Amino acid sequence: MRRFRIVHALAQRLWIIPSLGVLTGIVLSLLTVAIDRRNENGLLSQSIVGNGADAQSILTVTATAVVTLTSMVLTVTLVAVQLAMGQFSPRIVRALLDDRGDQCAIAVFGATFTFALFSLRAVDTGPGGEAVPGVTVLTALALATASAFALFVFVHHAGQQLRVGALVDLVGDELRGQLDRRFPPESDLREDAWVLLSRRAGNVVYCDRNALVAEARRAGCTLELVPMMGDFVTRGSALVRVQGDGARLDRERVRQLIALDDERTHGDDPAYGFRKLVDVAQRALGTASNDATTAVQVVNRLHGCLRQIADRPFPSGHLRDEDDELRLIERVLDWDGYVRLAFDEIRLAAGGYPQVTRRLEAALADLKTVAPAERHPALDRQLRLPEAAVARALEDDEDRRAALVADAQGIGSGSDVAIR
């Protein structure tokens, strides 16, 4: 119990690892200075480390730069903690403070600062000072380089921490580890011959379709991707179904051809772009924002993207090999899916914003002019539903008509009048 209390207390101290870095810098300085003083003639040529004045400049500049850098890094860390408390939950702060990546970066900066500071005493710039502490200067340069790399890693890490997905994954990964320790699995994942299970959790971000078709052709079967591109897959859930005889199928090879990541990406998932635009509009129309102008700008962009694909053919999700045999089945969004993804949630949130509902009406009416007749029902549905939403939000009949019908001045057409 005592051991647990000590480990638990140390694990919650932000200053432990940075303090170890500071002590490491002091000890390293004592060692290198002792080595240089034992070899008065210097172990390294002055062409490498410079003369005494150069050594003093290197150590002084390093100490000054790193202490400024450390203060900036600590400021960024505190800002990240403050944003996490305000935007997400105060309970997530502990997970941020316990992050070992930030603590190690600060430890590198602390070690570099104390090493440079304590090593200045080894530099003799007087008239008789000829020996240059070459090992000390070379170590300072190595630590400065390590600090530069640590800065790049820290900036990347801090940027990732400010994402919602990264914070959720941070807590989720810790929770999964705790569950594995508390409820250990009895055996490995079991799967039958017709289903391939996912070995990890994540969003489907890419699949090598040509390679999957080739693998299915070699095995003489048909593969069906269970999740859509961008869907979240849990560990142990169905990833691929096998149709036909899958005895010769290289199951691990198939898993490697499907990439999972902690967050959706744009690379092979156009629906993710629609999703992000809709999120912006929803936040703009929330009770805390009431920013109809931003929502109209989002609708303009969604309108343009849908108009771009309104008359283009959509992939069927069925891929065949050279012999015209069906080898891969993939779930894909059709025209109706993209229209609903783009407009459903904005329409539900925009009932009380005439500026937005007029723009939606104008966008849908314009899409009907370019979309083939078989794609009109999806647009007609979107044109009918705003009336009910506006009726729930507005009581006066004239206000309802004004919220749905563009007037002669061009309101709802996407011009400047519509977004003022």
Side-chain angles (χ1 to χ4, degrees):
M1 189 64 183
R2 180 177 298 176
R3 179 175 177 273
F4 167 78
R5 293 182 183 279
I6 294 174
V7 173
H8 182 69
L10 293 178
Q12 298 183 38
R13 299 297 186 267
L14 176 63
W15 52 268
I16 294 295
I17 294 180
S19 298
L20 292 176
V22 170
L23 293 176
T24 300
I26 296 175
V27 172
L28 191 60
S29 174
L30 296 176
L31 290 176
T32 57
V33 170
I35 293 173
D36 286 323
R37 285 180 174 176
R38 179 170 297 182
N39 299 272
E40 296 182 357
N41 295 327
L43 293 176
L44 299 175
S45 170
Q46 288 193 9
S47 62
I48 299 175
V49 296
N51 55 29
D54 295 332
Q56 186 180 44
S57 298
I58 291 173
L59 294 174
T60 302
V61 170
T62 300
T64 304
V66 170
V67 72
T68 304
L69 178 62
T70 304
S71 64
M72 293 175 59
V73 166
L74 292 174
T75 302
V76 171
T77 302
L78 294 178
V79 169
V81 170
Q82 186 177 11
L83 287 175
M85 290 181 61
Q87 295 293 326
F88 307 111
S89 170
R91 297 179 180 87
I92 210 169
V93 172
R94 180 174 176 179
L96 286 175
L97 293 179
D98 290 344
D99 187 88
R100 293 293 179 264
D102 293 348
Q103 296 178 19
C104 289
I106 297 173
V108 172
F109 302 147
T112 304
F113 169 70
T114 54
F115 178 86
L117 189 65
F118 277 77
S119 298
L120 282 171
R121 62 192 175 87
V123 180
D124 185 6
T125 57
E130 298 180 356
V132 179
V135 175
T136 301
V137 173
L138 192 62
T139 304
L141 292 174
L143 286 175
T145 304
S147 296
F149 280 108
L151 174 62
F152 301 148
V153 174
F154 174 81
V155 170
H156 171 77
H157 190 63
Q160 296 294 320
Q161 281 184 330
L162 295 179
R163 296 184 299 113
V164 177
L167 292 174
V168 172
D169 291 336
L170 178 65
V171 179
D173 291 341
E174 182 180 356
L175 176 58
R176 282 197 296 268
Q178 293 170 349
L179 293 176
D180 283 337
R181 293 191 297 270
R182 185 67 177 85
F183 308 100
E186 295 181 356
S187 60
D188 294 335
L189 295 175
R190 298 176 181 177
E191 59 184 15
D192 55 41
W194 295 277
V195 178
L196 276 72
L197 303 182
S198 176
R199 298 302 190 193
R200 55 159 296 191
N203 296 89
V204 180
V205 298
Y206 177 76
C207 66
D208 191 337
R209 296 175 178 84
N210 293 331
L212 287 171
V213 169
E215 187 62 32
R217 175 185 171 87
R218 187 193 62 80
C221 63
T222 301
L223 302 178
E224 178 187 358
L225 294 180
V226 177
M228 290 183 64
M229 189 61 59
D231 281 353
F232 181 79
V233 180
T234 61
R235 181 178 181 271
S237 62
L239 184 63
V240 176
R241 290 194 181 97
V242 182
Q243 300 179 7
D245 184 10
R248 294 184 298 162
L249 187 66
D250 188 345
R251 306 170 79 85
E252 291 304 321
R253 166 69 174 166
V254 171
R255 288 191 183 93
Q256 292 173 2
L257 295 174
I258 303 172
L260 303 180
D261 200 357
D262 295 332
E263 190 174 4
R264 295 173 69 178
T265 62
H266 278 290
D268 203 26
D269 186 10
Y272 186 44
F274 284 87
R275 176 73 268 167
K276 291 201 292 188
L277 288 172
V278 172
D279 288 345
V280 173
Q282 278 192 300
R283 183 176 291 271
L285 295 176
T287 55
S289 300
N290 295 320
D291 185 6
T293 298
T294 298
V296 168
Q297 292 173 339
V298 170
V299 173
N300 290 341
R301 184 62 65 179
L302 292 171
H303 174 201
C305 293
L306 286 175
R307 203 177 201 278
Q308 182 178 348
I309 62 174
D311 57 350
R312 298 183 184 182
F314 279 66
S316 64
H318 290 191
L319 279 73
R320 300 179 180 271
D321 60 12
E322 295 85 348
D323 299 328
D324 202 32
E325 291 288 337
L326 180 61
R327 295 302 183 188
L328 181 63
I329 301 174
E330 179 185 7
R331 295 168 56 206
V332 295
L333 275 181
D334 56 7
W335 170 252
D336 182 68
Y338 278 108
V339 171
R340 297 194 63 170
L341 175 62
F343 292 137
D344 269 1
E345 296 176 23
I346 297 178
R347 170 176 50 77
L348 291 172
Y353 297 88
Q355 183 180 359
V356 182
T357 53
R358 283 195 297 262
R359 185 65 191 98
L360 283 172
E361 291 274 329
L364 292 165
D366 178 70
L367 288 173
K368 289 188 66 174
T369 64
V370 294
E374 61 270 17
R375 296 183 179 179
H376 284 189
L379 301 173
D380 291 335
R381 175 182 178 275
Q382 296 292 331
L383 284 168
R384 290 193 306 268
L385 292 175
E387 297 182 8
V390 171
R392 290 192 299 267
L394 303 177
E395 298 180 357
D396 187 77
D397 290 338
E398 292 187 4
D399 287 341
R400 294 174 184 173
R401 287 194 296 271
L404 292 170
V405 181
D407 61 24
Q409 295 178 354
I411 297 178
S413 64
S415 63
D416 291 341
V417 179
I419 60 174
R420 285 177 183 170

